Amino acid sequence: MSTDKIQKIAWKYALQNAIKFNGKANPKAVVGKVIANLQKDGFSPKEIIPVVNSVIKEVNKISIKDQIEKLEKIDPELLKKEKKVRDFTLPNLPDAVIGKVITRFPPEPNGYLHIGHAKAAIVDHEYAKMYDGKFILRFDDTNPENAHLEFYDAQKEDLKWLGIEWDLVYNTSDNLEKHYKYAEQLIKQDNAYICQCSPEEIKHGRYHGKECTCCGTECADNIDLWKQMLSKSLDGAIVRLRGDMTCDNTAMRDPTLFRIIDSPHPIHGDKYRVWPTYDFAGPIEDSIGGVTHPFRTKEYELRDECYFKILDLLNLRKPHLMEFARLSIEGMPVSKRKIKPLIDKGLVSGYDDIRLPTLRGLKKRGILPKAIKQFVLEQGISKVESTINFGLLEATNRKMIDSIAKRYFFVKDPIKLIVENAPKLTKKINLHPNNKELGTKIVKTRDEFFVQKSDLDKINEGEIFRLKELYNVKILKKNKEIIAQYEGENLIPNSAKIQWTNDEYIKMKVLIPHPLFVDDKFNENSLEQVNGFAEKAILQLKTDEIIQLERFGFIRIENIENKITGFFSHR
Ligand SMILES: [Zn+2]
């Protein structure tokens, strides 16, 4: 009877803890809660601990989805609390078995990762976690012209920043011999042939649904030609699948499986010259790599038929291939074709420019990785294409940083304010109105201040306003400088509260990003610069800290040593 009670409470808190920490409950935390809950009933830790440990083993065996369902039944209120931390779950995968799901993220190492990659990586990674499966990072590097050594590492770094860890990482190019073996099998089975037509002829043939003469080459001759391709005695040839040149799905009109690319590969140098296309490498790697649930974006949907045909012909295991819509953000292109010219012309500073949706750009702008994750999961994996306003991601981010961002004063377009009879004060001011853990700042004031000109425009001579967190002043004279007088510390209802700096201000530059493209044209005003004075306490911050400049916005500190630069995040 008594263990029943411990069991019940242990299940509740083990589930809650597991849901909070991605499906794995932490024994220490759970034991603490259960003991606190049961001590009044006279249970001793000796009785409680072994029960909790065995319950945790059970809980950690099941998927997050099941954990959520169980807690929903046991204690829906507790689940609601936890869902605030994690109020999203992906839909179930078809034919998924706990512990057996394998997903993969297959980037081409040809550039920095952007928000679109983040969506794929996050969805793949989440599913692997949800089913207690495995997540593979696979570099699809079978085009030596595109692959660059620096990007293998850069992409890994970007993923780590997102909080994504992989169980296995490898390069498709390392499996090339296997791809050759399967190619040979297809040629021997007469399912593929060598085509030596020009790219124009091939394009023309595909467009008009007409076979080329190479299609009639005998099987034995194709094997011979294939060997010549590999041994460098044949140039300008490709391997094509025997599809259907009249098929409505043009992706099936004898798609290219291999082509010759003589550029050196960043890893294999000039060891290989015949490289598989995406159409061939994708299904082969997914199948032999054990991937159970590969995802790709919807624009590949027409190529699914080819994916499965290749696996059919080779008698290889077929994964559950699934598609979702690409993530596009208004005014923020992700394609290199659009970004690279801007970098070349110096219109953006690089791939980490704060106007770009690269992960490096988002990081610099002050977007937290967990905000990206929540945003992506909230969008879900629907196939409906939509262009999303960046404001949505900013709103998610703002919710996360609001309670942890220290508050400071920033005065743009500063004008000098002299306060007659001002008391000399040393004030301790909280860095956050509610979060006391963020500490305080010490501010010393004399009679000289700086305030924002536009704030003072609204206040007339003879009127009283409050220097925020300090005291009231009455304006005596408005000129190039403002002359005012001290009016006591008591709060006056409805009087304006104004941000200020004392005479020990620091100069600060804030860069504000706007959409890079408007109506598909480069926006000349996409980067705004605001200069102003900030309070000296900011000098104690470090690069990367995200703070709030009151009544201005959240910014990320970019550089504190040289002049202070901040990147505006959002209001
Ligand atoms: Zn041909």
Side-chain angles (χ1 to χ4, degrees), residues 173 175-187 226 229-231 239 258-261 271-276 280 284 314:
S173 65
N175 278 341
L176 217 57
E177 304 288 349
K178 286 183 194 162
H179 288 246
Y180 286 171
K181 204 187 81 196
Y182 289 120
E184 210 169 296
Q185 188 183 334
L186 283 184
I187 297 167
W226 164 249
M229 278 173 79
L230 295 177
S231 66
V239 178
F258 283 83
R259 70 277 202 226
I260 294 168
I261 303 172
K271 188 174 171 193
Y272 305 113
R273 60 160 347 208
V274 178
W275 294 96
F280 187 80
I284 298 293
L314 292 169

PDB file of all heavy atoms in Angstrom, residues 173 175-187 226 229-231 239 258-261 271-276 280 284 314:
ATOM      1  N   SER A 173      30.552  11.467 -49.755  1.00  0.00           N
ATOM      2  CA  SER A 173      31.688  11.197 -50.650  1.00  0.00           C
ATOM      3  C   SER A 173      32.547  10.029 -50.157  1.00  0.00           C
ATOM      4  O   SER A 173      33.243   9.399 -50.939  1.00  0.00           O
ATOM      5  CB  SER A 173      32.551  12.454 -50.790  1.00  0.00           C
ATOM      6  OG  SER A 173      33.136  12.792 -49.548  1.00  0.00           O
ATOM      7  N   ASN A 175      31.443   7.283 -49.287  1.00  0.00           N
ATOM      8  CA  ASN A 175      30.786   6.047 -49.715  1.00  0.00           C
ATOM      9  C   ASN A 175      30.789   5.876 -51.229  1.00  0.00           C
ATOM     10  O   ASN A 175      30.009   5.093 -51.762  1.00  0.00           O
ATOM     11  CB  ASN A 175      29.325   6.040 -49.240  1.00  0.00           C
ATOM     12  CG  ASN A 175      29.220   5.597 -47.806  1.00  0.00           C
ATOM     13  OD1 ASN A 175      30.141   4.967 -47.283  1.00  0.00           O
ATOM     14  ND2 ASN A 175      28.105   5.911 -47.164  1.00  0.00           N
ATOM     15  N   LEU A 176      31.630   6.620 -51.908  1.00  0.00           N
ATOM     16  CA  LEU A 176      31.537   6.650 -53.370  1.00  0.00           C
ATOM     17  C   LEU A 176      31.683   5.276 -54.029  1.00  0.00           C
ATOM     18  O   LEU A 176      30.991   4.965 -54.991  1.00  0.00           O
ATOM     19  CB  LEU A 176      32.566   7.636 -53.940  1.00  0.00           C
ATOM     20  CG  LEU A 176      32.030   8.397 -55.144  1.00  0.00           C
ATOM     21  CD1 LEU A 176      30.758   9.142 -54.800  1.00  0.00           C
ATOM     22  CD2 LEU A 176      33.063   9.355 -55.680  1.00  0.00           C
ATOM     23  N   GLU A 177      32.582   4.450 -53.464  1.00  0.00           N
ATOM     24  CA  GLU A 177      32.779   3.110 -54.059  1.00  0.00           C
ATOM     25  C   GLU A 177      31.455   2.331 -54.051  1.00  0.00           C
ATOM     26  O   GLU A 177      31.154   1.602 -54.992  1.00  0.00           O
ATOM     27  CB  GLU A 177      33.843   2.320 -53.274  1.00  0.00           C
ATOM     28  CG  GLU A 177      35.196   3.012 -53.142  1.00  0.00           C
ATOM     29  CD  GLU A 177      36.009   3.051 -54.439  1.00  0.00           C
ATOM     30  OE1 GLU A 177      35.620   2.348 -55.398  1.00  0.00           O
ATOM     31  OE2 GLU A 177      37.011   3.801 -54.484  1.00  0.00           O
ATOM     32  N   LYS A 178      30.687   2.476 -52.958  1.00  0.00           N
ATOM     33  CA  LYS A 178      29.392   1.785 -52.886  1.00  0.00           C
ATOM     34  C   LYS A 178      28.448   2.312 -53.972  1.00  0.00           C
ATOM     35  O   LYS A 178      27.724   1.551 -54.605  1.00  0.00           O
ATOM     36  CB  LYS A 178      28.744   1.997 -51.517  1.00  0.00           C
ATOM     37  CG  LYS A 178      29.399   1.191 -50.406  1.00  0.00           C
ATOM     38  CD  LYS A 178      28.667   1.381 -49.084  1.00  0.00           C
ATOM     39  CE  LYS A 178      29.511   0.860 -47.950  1.00  0.00           C
ATOM     40  NZ  LYS A 178      29.093   1.363 -46.643  1.00  0.00           N
ATOM     41  N   HIS A 179      28.497   3.622 -54.170  1.00  0.00           N
ATOM     42  CA  HIS A 179      27.628   4.203 -55.211  1.00  0.00           C
ATOM     43  C   HIS A 179      28.006   3.650 -56.582  1.00  0.00           C
ATOM     44  O   HIS A 179      27.145   3.394 -57.414  1.00  0.00           O
ATOM     45  CB  HIS A 179      27.745   5.724 -55.196  1.00  0.00           C
ATOM     46  CG  HIS A 179      27.070   6.360 -54.006  1.00  0.00           C
ATOM     47  ND1 HIS A 179      25.979   7.172 -54.114  1.00  0.00           N
ATOM     48  CD2 HIS A 179      27.336   6.272 -52.674  1.00  0.00           C
ATOM     49  CE1 HIS A 179      25.589   7.565 -52.914  1.00  0.00           C
ATOM     50  NE2 HIS A 179      26.415   7.036 -52.018  1.00  0.00           N
ATOM     51  N   TYR A 180      29.294   3.484 -56.806  1.00  0.00           N
ATOM     52  CA  TYR A 180      29.752   2.924 -58.092  1.00  0.00           C
ATOM     53  C   TYR A 180      29.222   1.513 -58.275  1.00  0.00           C
ATOM     54  O   TYR A 180      28.814   1.109 -59.356  1.00  0.00           O
ATOM     55  CB  TYR A 180      31.290   2.900 -58.152  1.00  0.00           C
ATOM     56  CG  TYR A 180      31.924   4.266 -58.355  1.00  0.00           C
ATOM     57  CD1 TYR A 180      33.310   4.428 -58.251  1.00  0.00           C
ATOM     58  CD2 TYR A 180      31.160   5.385 -58.680  1.00  0.00           C
ATOM     59  CE1 TYR A 180      33.915   5.662 -58.443  1.00  0.00           C
ATOM     60  CE2 TYR A 180      31.757   6.631 -58.866  1.00  0.00           C
ATOM     61  CZ  TYR A 180      33.135   6.764 -58.737  1.00  0.00           C
ATOM     62  OH  TYR A 180      33.721   7.985 -58.925  1.00  0.00           O
ATOM     63  N   LYS A 181      29.247   0.752 -57.172  1.00  0.00           N
ATOM     64  CA  LYS A 181      28.784  -0.639 -57.227  1.00  0.00           C
ATOM     65  C   LYS A 181      27.304  -0.682 -57.641  1.00  0.00           C
ATOM     66  O   LYS A 181      26.907  -1.479 -58.495  1.00  0.00           O
ATOM     67  CB  LYS A 181      28.976  -1.274 -55.842  1.00  0.00           C
ATOM     68  CG  LYS A 181      29.104  -2.774 -55.840  1.00  0.00           C
ATOM     69  CD  LYS A 181      29.129  -3.315 -54.415  1.00  0.00           C
ATOM     70  CE  LYS A 181      27.716  -3.421 -53.880  1.00  0.00           C
ATOM     71  NZ  LYS A 181      27.555  -3.571 -52.471  1.00  0.00           N
ATOM     72  N   TYR A 182      26.508   0.217 -57.033  1.00  0.00           N
ATOM     73  CA  TYR A 182      25.082   0.222 -57.376  1.00  0.00           C
ATOM     74  C   TYR A 182      24.860   0.720 -58.804  1.00  0.00           C
ATOM     75  O   TYR A 182      23.958   0.255 -59.501  1.00  0.00           O
ATOM     76  CB  TYR A 182      24.288   1.067 -56.368  1.00  0.00           C
ATOM     77  CG  TYR A 182      24.177   0.422 -55.011  1.00  0.00           C
ATOM     78  CD1 TYR A 182      24.680   1.034 -53.874  1.00  0.00           C
ATOM     79  CD2 TYR A 182      23.576  -0.839 -54.873  1.00  0.00           C
ATOM     80  CE1 TYR A 182      24.588   0.428 -52.629  1.00  0.00           C
ATOM     81  CE2 TYR A 182      23.481  -1.446 -53.629  1.00  0.00           C
ATOM     82  CZ  TYR A 182      23.988  -0.808 -52.514  1.00  0.00           C
ATOM     83  OH  TYR A 182      23.888  -1.417 -51.287  1.00  0.00           O
ATOM     84  N   ALA A 183      25.680   1.667 -59.228  1.00  0.00           N
ATOM     85  CA  ALA A 183      25.554   2.167 -60.603  1.00  0.00           C
ATOM     86  C   ALA A 183      25.814   1.027 -61.578  1.00  0.00           C
ATOM     87  O   ALA A 183      25.079   0.836 -62.559  1.00  0.00           O
ATOM     88  CB  ALA A 183      26.565   3.291 -60.820  1.00  0.00           C
ATOM     89  N   GLU A 184      26.863   0.262 -61.286  1.00  0.00           N
ATOM     90  CA  GLU A 184      27.219  -0.850 -62.171  1.00  0.00           C
ATOM     91  C   GLU A 184      26.087  -1.873 -62.230  1.00  0.00           C
ATOM     92  O   GLU A 184      25.765  -2.401 -63.291  1.00  0.00           O
ATOM     93  CB  GLU A 184      28.497  -1.500 -61.644  1.00  0.00           C
ATOM     94  CG  GLU A 184      29.350  -2.106 -62.731  1.00  0.00           C
ATOM     95  CD  GLU A 184      30.721  -2.484 -62.188  1.00  0.00           C
ATOM     96  OE1 GLU A 184      31.451  -1.551 -61.779  1.00  0.00           O
ATOM     97  OE2 GLU A 184      31.033  -3.676 -62.159  1.00  0.00           O
ATOM     98  N   GLN A 185      25.485  -2.095 -61.060  1.00  0.00           N
ATOM     99  CA  GLN A 185      24.361  -3.041 -61.023  1.00  0.00           C
ATOM    100  C   GLN A 185      23.217  -2.568 -61.928  1.00  0.00           C
ATOM    101  O   GLN A 185      22.654  -3.342 -62.690  1.00  0.00           O
ATOM    102  CB  GLN A 185      23.874  -3.206 -59.577  1.00  0.00           C
ATOM    103  CG  GLN A 185      22.837  -4.311 -59.413  1.00  0.00           C
ATOM    104  CD  GLN A 185      22.322  -4.408 -57.973  1.00  0.00           C
ATOM    105  OE1 GLN A 185      23.024  -4.026 -57.020  1.00  0.00           O
ATOM    106  NE2 GLN A 185      21.110  -4.917 -57.811  1.00  0.00           N
ATOM    107  N   LEU A 186      22.907  -1.276 -61.842  1.00  0.00           N
ATOM    108  CA  LEU A 186      21.825  -0.732 -62.676  1.00  0.00           C
ATOM    109  C   LEU A 186      22.155  -0.872 -64.158  1.00  0.00           C
ATOM    110  O   LEU A 186      21.292  -1.202 -64.973  1.00  0.00           O
ATOM    111  CB  LEU A 186      21.583   0.750 -62.348  1.00  0.00           C
ATOM    112  CG  LEU A 186      20.802   1.085 -61.077  1.00  0.00           C
ATOM    113  CD1 LEU A 186      20.571   2.593 -60.984  1.00  0.00           C
ATOM    114  CD2 LEU A 186      19.450   0.364 -61.046  1.00  0.00           C
ATOM    115  N   ILE A 187      23.433  -0.621 -64.495  1.00  0.00           N
ATOM    116  CA  ILE A 187      23.832  -0.706 -65.905  1.00  0.00           C
ATOM    117  C   ILE A 187      23.773  -2.171 -66.375  1.00  0.00           C
ATOM    118  O   ILE A 187      23.255  -2.471 -67.444  1.00  0.00           O
ATOM    119  CB  ILE A 187      25.247  -0.105 -66.112  1.00  0.00           C
ATOM    120  CG1 ILE A 187      25.233   1.390 -65.747  1.00  0.00           C
ATOM    121  CG2 ILE A 187      25.703  -0.277 -67.558  1.00  0.00           C
ATOM    122  CD1 ILE A 187      26.610   2.020 -65.617  1.00  0.00           C
ATOM    123  N   TRP A 226      30.963   2.891 -69.140  1.00  0.00           N
ATOM    124  CA  TRP A 226      31.008   3.248 -67.718  1.00  0.00           C
ATOM    125  C   TRP A 226      32.442   3.126 -67.210  1.00  0.00           C
ATOM    126  O   TRP A 226      32.961   4.017 -66.527  1.00  0.00           O
ATOM    127  CB  TRP A 226      30.048   2.332 -66.947  1.00  0.00           C
ATOM    128  CG  TRP A 226      30.229   2.291 -65.444  1.00  0.00           C
ATOM    129  CD1 TRP A 226      30.682   1.245 -64.709  1.00  0.00           C
ATOM    130  CD2 TRP A 226      29.944   3.339 -64.506  1.00  0.00           C
ATOM    131  NE1 TRP A 226      30.709   1.553 -63.379  1.00  0.00           N
ATOM    132  CE2 TRP A 226      30.252   2.840 -63.207  1.00  0.00           C
ATOM    133  CE3 TRP A 226      29.464   4.650 -64.620  1.00  0.00           C
ATOM    134  CZ2 TRP A 226      30.094   3.601 -62.054  1.00  0.00           C
ATOM    135  CZ3 TRP A 226      29.305   5.408 -63.468  1.00  0.00           C
ATOM    136  CH2 TRP A 226      29.615   4.892 -62.201  1.00  0.00           C
ATOM    137  N   MET A 229      34.459   5.898 -68.405  1.00  0.00           N
ATOM    138  CA  MET A 229      34.191   7.143 -67.646  1.00  0.00           C
ATOM    139  C   MET A 229      35.071   7.177 -66.390  1.00  0.00           C
ATOM    140  O   MET A 229      35.701   8.185 -66.087  1.00  0.00           O
ATOM    141  CB  MET A 229      32.715   7.207 -67.203  1.00  0.00           C
ATOM    142  CG  MET A 229      31.740   7.708 -68.249  1.00  0.00           C
ATOM    143  SD  MET A 229      30.010   7.544 -67.678  1.00  0.00           S
ATOM    144  CE  MET A 229      29.869   8.979 -66.595  1.00  0.00           C
ATOM    145  N   LEU A 230      35.083   6.036 -65.684  1.00  0.00           N
ATOM    146  CA  LEU A 230      35.833   5.974 -64.430  1.00  0.00           C
ATOM    147  C   LEU A 230      37.335   6.102 -64.659  1.00  0.00           C
ATOM    148  O   LEU A 230      38.048   6.723 -63.873  1.00  0.00           O
ATOM    149  CB  LEU A 230      35.541   4.660 -63.695  1.00  0.00           C
ATOM    150  CG  LEU A 230      34.113   4.449 -63.186  1.00  0.00           C
ATOM    151  CD1 LEU A 230      33.978   3.068 -62.560  1.00  0.00           C
ATOM    152  CD2 LEU A 230      33.731   5.519 -62.159  1.00  0.00           C
ATOM    153  N   SER A 231      37.816   5.495 -65.774  1.00  0.00           N
ATOM    154  CA  SER A 231      39.272   5.462 -66.002  1.00  0.00           C
ATOM    155  C   SER A 231      39.763   6.693 -66.765  1.00  0.00           C
ATOM    156  O   SER A 231      40.892   6.728 -67.229  1.00  0.00           O
ATOM    157  CB  SER A 231      39.637   4.189 -66.756  1.00  0.00           C
ATOM    158  OG  SER A 231      39.065   4.261 -68.057  1.00  0.00           O
ATOM    159  N   VAL A 239      25.548   9.163 -66.826  1.00  0.00           N
ATOM    160  CA  VAL A 239      24.754   7.946 -66.684  1.00  0.00           C
ATOM    161  C   VAL A 239      23.309   8.384 -66.494  1.00  0.00           C
ATOM    162  O   VAL A 239      23.033   9.253 -65.672  1.00  0.00           O
ATOM    163  CB  VAL A 239      25.213   7.116 -65.462  1.00  0.00           C
ATOM    164  CG1 VAL A 239      24.341   5.873 -65.312  1.00  0.00           C
ATOM    165  CG2 VAL A 239      26.678   6.740 -65.584  1.00  0.00           C
ATOM    166  N   PHE A 258      24.732  10.018 -62.761  1.00  0.00           N
ATOM    167  CA  PHE A 258      26.153  10.320 -62.546  1.00  0.00           C
ATOM    168  C   PHE A 258      26.632  11.273 -63.626  1.00  0.00           C
ATOM    169  O   PHE A 258      26.163  11.214 -64.761  1.00  0.00           O
ATOM    170  CB  PHE A 258      27.006   9.030 -62.622  1.00  0.00           C
ATOM    171  CG  PHE A 258      26.922   8.182 -61.390  1.00  0.00           C
ATOM    172  CD1 PHE A 258      25.865   7.297 -61.233  1.00  0.00           C
ATOM    173  CD2 PHE A 258      27.884   8.270 -60.392  1.00  0.00           C
ATOM    174  CE1 PHE A 258      25.765   6.509 -60.081  1.00  0.00           C
ATOM    175  CE2 PHE A 258      27.790   7.483 -59.250  1.00  0.00           C
ATOM    176  CZ  PHE A 258      26.728   6.605 -59.090  1.00  0.00           C
ATOM    177  N   ARG A 259      27.569  12.134 -63.245  1.00  0.00           N
ATOM    178  CA  ARG A 259      28.199  12.998 -64.243  1.00  0.00           C
ATOM    179  C   ARG A 259      29.678  13.120 -63.922  1.00  0.00           C
ATOM    180  O   ARG A 259      30.115  12.834 -62.798  1.00  0.00           O
ATOM    181  CB  ARG A 259      27.512  14.365 -64.339  1.00  0.00           C
ATOM    182  CG  ARG A 259      27.711  15.294 -63.157  1.00  0.00           C
ATOM    183  CD  ARG A 259      26.741  14.978 -62.043  1.00  0.00           C
ATOM    184  NE  ARG A 259      26.559  16.123 -61.157  1.00  0.00           N
ATOM    185  CZ  ARG A 259      26.569  16.047 -59.835  1.00  0.00           C
ATOM    186  NH1 ARG A 259      26.770  14.913 -59.220  1.00  0.00           N
ATOM    187  NH2 ARG A 259      26.361  17.128 -59.114  1.00  0.00           N
ATOM    188  N   ILE A 260      30.443  13.564 -64.911  1.00  0.00           N
ATOM    189  CA  ILE A 260      31.890  13.717 -64.714  1.00  0.00           C
ATOM    190  C   ILE A 260      32.161  15.159 -64.273  1.00  0.00           C
ATOM    191  O   ILE A 260      31.712  16.101 -64.918  1.00  0.00           O
ATOM    192  CB  ILE A 260      32.647  13.432 -66.030  1.00  0.00           C
ATOM    193  CG1 ILE A 260      32.480  11.950 -66.392  1.00  0.00           C
ATOM    194  CG2 ILE A 260      34.126  13.794 -65.896  1.00  0.00           C
ATOM    195  CD1 ILE A 260      32.934  11.598 -67.799  1.00  0.00           C
ATOM    196  N   ILE A 261      32.837  15.292 -63.139  1.00  0.00           N
ATOM    197  CA  ILE A 261      33.258  16.640 -62.710  1.00  0.00           C
ATOM    198  C   ILE A 261      34.740  16.536 -62.362  1.00  0.00           C
ATOM    199  O   ILE A 261      35.121  15.822 -61.435  1.00  0.00           O
ATOM    200  CB  ILE A 261      32.455  17.133 -61.480  1.00  0.00           C
ATOM    201  CG1 ILE A 261      30.945  17.133 -61.796  1.00  0.00           C
ATOM    202  CG2 ILE A 261      32.910  18.528 -61.068  1.00  0.00           C
ATOM    203  CD1 ILE A 261      30.056  17.414 -60.583  1.00  0.00           C
ATOM    204  N   LYS A 271      40.947  11.913 -56.684  1.00  0.00           N
ATOM    205  CA  LYS A 271      40.769  10.464 -56.658  1.00  0.00           C
ATOM    206  C   LYS A 271      39.567  10.030 -57.516  1.00  0.00           C
ATOM    207  O   LYS A 271      39.589   8.997 -58.164  1.00  0.00           O
ATOM    208  CB  LYS A 271      40.567  10.027 -55.199  1.00  0.00           C
ATOM    209  CG  LYS A 271      40.553   8.516 -54.995  1.00  0.00           C
ATOM    210  CD  LYS A 271      40.503   8.184 -53.507  1.00  0.00           C
ATOM    211  CE  LYS A 271      40.274   6.696 -53.286  1.00  0.00           C
ATOM    212  NZ  LYS A 271      39.928   6.401 -51.887  1.00  0.00           N
ATOM    213  N   TYR A 272      38.501  10.809 -57.470  1.00  0.00           N
ATOM    214  CA  TYR A 272      37.292  10.473 -58.227  1.00  0.00           C
ATOM    215  C   TYR A 272      36.969  11.577 -59.226  1.00  0.00           C
ATOM    216  O   TYR A 272      37.252  12.734 -58.988  1.00  0.00           O
ATOM    217  CB  TYR A 272      36.088  10.329 -57.290  1.00  0.00           C
ATOM    218  CG  TYR A 272      36.277   9.339 -56.166  1.00  0.00           C
ATOM    219  CD1 TYR A 272      36.335   9.783 -54.845  1.00  0.00           C
ATOM    220  CD2 TYR A 272      36.378   7.977 -56.423  1.00  0.00           C
ATOM    221  CE1 TYR A 272      36.491   8.881 -53.797  1.00  0.00           C
ATOM    222  CE2 TYR A 272      36.542   7.068 -55.378  1.00  0.00           C
ATOM    223  CZ  TYR A 272      36.594   7.532 -54.061  1.00  0.00           C
ATOM    224  OH  TYR A 272      36.745   6.642 -53.031  1.00  0.00           O
ATOM    225  N   ARG A 273      36.332  11.174 -60.317  1.00  0.00           N
ATOM    226  CA  ARG A 273      35.878  12.195 -61.267  1.00  0.00           C
ATOM    227  C   ARG A 273      34.414  11.979 -61.648  1.00  0.00           C
ATOM    228  O   ARG A 273      33.773  12.846 -62.212  1.00  0.00           O
ATOM    229  CB  ARG A 273      36.747  12.177 -62.514  1.00  0.00           C
ATOM    230  CG  ARG A 273      36.651  10.817 -63.173  1.00  0.00           C
ATOM    231  CD  ARG A 273      37.032  10.676 -64.604  1.00  0.00           C
ATOM    232  NE  ARG A 273      37.229  11.800 -65.451  1.00  0.00           N
ATOM    233  CZ  ARG A 273      37.021  11.729 -66.771  1.00  0.00           C
ATOM    234  NH1 ARG A 273      36.610  10.601 -67.336  1.00  0.00           N
ATOM    235  NH2 ARG A 273      37.254  12.773 -67.508  1.00  0.00           N
ATOM    236  N   VAL A 274      33.882  10.795 -61.322  1.00  0.00           N
ATOM    237  CA  VAL A 274      32.482  10.515 -61.646  1.00  0.00           C
ATOM    238  C   VAL A 274      31.673  10.638 -60.348  1.00  0.00           C
ATOM    239  O   VAL A 274      31.962   9.956 -59.365  1.00  0.00           O
ATOM    240  CB  VAL A 274      32.341   9.089 -62.239  1.00  0.00           C
ATOM    241  CG1 VAL A 274      30.878   8.786 -62.540  1.00  0.00           C
ATOM    242  CG2 VAL A 274      33.186   8.971 -63.488  1.00  0.00           C
ATOM    243  N   TRP A 275      30.717  11.543 -60.367  1.00  0.00           N
ATOM    244  CA  TRP A 275      29.998  11.875 -59.125  1.00  0.00           C
ATOM    245  C   TRP A 275      28.495  11.655 -59.259  1.00  0.00           C
ATOM    246  O   TRP A 275      27.904  12.026 -60.270  1.00  0.00           O
ATOM    247  CB  TRP A 275      30.265  13.344 -58.752  1.00  0.00           C
ATOM    248  CG  TRP A 275      31.694  13.575 -58.390  1.00  0.00           C
ATOM    249  CD1 TRP A 275      32.696  14.038 -59.203  1.00  0.00           C
ATOM    250  CD2 TRP A 275      32.306  13.334 -57.112  1.00  0.00           C
ATOM    251  NE1 TRP A 275      33.884  14.108 -58.517  1.00  0.00           N
ATOM    252  CE2 TRP A 275      33.672  13.674 -57.235  1.00  0.00           C
ATOM    253  CE3 TRP A 275      31.830  12.866 -55.880  1.00  0.00           C
ATOM    254  CZ2 TRP A 275      34.566  13.561 -56.159  1.00  0.00           C
ATOM    255  CZ3 TRP A 275      32.711  12.752 -54.822  1.00  0.00           C
ATOM    256  CH2 TRP A 275      34.075  13.104 -54.971  1.00  0.00           C
ATOM    257  N   PRO A 276      27.863  11.072 -58.240  1.00  0.00           N
ATOM    258  CA  PRO A 276      26.413  10.877 -58.301  1.00  0.00           C
ATOM    259  C   PRO A 276      25.659  12.193 -58.148  1.00  0.00           C
ATOM    260  O   PRO A 276      26.133  13.102 -57.464  1.00  0.00           O
ATOM    261  CB  PRO A 276      26.122   9.957 -57.113  1.00  0.00           C
ATOM    262  CG  PRO A 276      27.240  10.203 -56.156  1.00  0.00           C
ATOM    263  CD  PRO A 276      28.439  10.563 -56.987  1.00  0.00           C
ATOM    264  N   PHE A 280      20.445  10.359 -57.286  1.00  0.00           N
ATOM    265  CA  PHE A 280      20.961   9.018 -57.017  1.00  0.00           C
ATOM    266  C   PHE A 280      21.476   8.907 -55.577  1.00  0.00           C
ATOM    267  O   PHE A 280      21.139   7.972 -54.851  1.00  0.00           O
ATOM    268  CB  PHE A 280      22.089   8.690 -58.009  1.00  0.00           C
ATOM    269  CG  PHE A 280      22.552   7.253 -57.912  1.00  0.00           C
ATOM    270  CD1 PHE A 280      21.839   6.229 -58.527  1.00  0.00           C
ATOM    271  CD2 PHE A 280      23.690   6.915 -57.195  1.00  0.00           C
ATOM    272  CE1 PHE A 280      22.247   4.902 -58.434  1.00  0.00           C
ATOM    273  CE2 PHE A 280      24.104   5.593 -57.087  1.00  0.00           C
ATOM    274  CZ  PHE A 280      23.380   4.577 -57.708  1.00  0.00           C
ATOM    275  N   ILE A 284      20.093   6.291 -52.139  1.00  0.00           N
ATOM    276  CA  ILE A 284      21.092   5.279 -51.766  1.00  0.00           C
ATOM    277  C   ILE A 284      21.542   5.497 -50.324  1.00  0.00           C
ATOM    278  O   ILE A 284      21.528   4.592 -49.495  1.00  0.00           O
ATOM    279  CB  ILE A 284      22.326   5.342 -52.708  1.00  0.00           C
ATOM    280  CG1 ILE A 284      21.928   5.033 -54.149  1.00  0.00           C
ATOM    281  CG2 ILE A 284      23.435   4.408 -52.222  1.00  0.00           C
ATOM    282  CD1 ILE A 284      21.475   3.623 -54.409  1.00  0.00           C
ATOM    283  N   LEU A 314      17.168  -1.602 -57.366  1.00  0.00           N
ATOM    284  CA  LEU A 314      18.334  -2.169 -56.669  1.00  0.00           C
ATOM    285  C   LEU A 314      17.913  -3.082 -55.522  1.00  0.00           C
ATOM    286  O   LEU A 314      18.759  -3.608 -54.795  1.00  0.00           O
ATOM    287  CB  LEU A 314      19.218  -1.034 -56.137  1.00  0.00           C
ATOM    288  CG  LEU A 314      19.918  -0.220 -57.226  1.00  0.00           C
ATOM    289  CD1 LEU A 314      20.542   1.037 -56.641  1.00  0.00           C
ATOM    290  CD2 LEU A 314      20.980  -1.057 -57.927  1.00  0.00           C
TER     291      LEU A 314
END
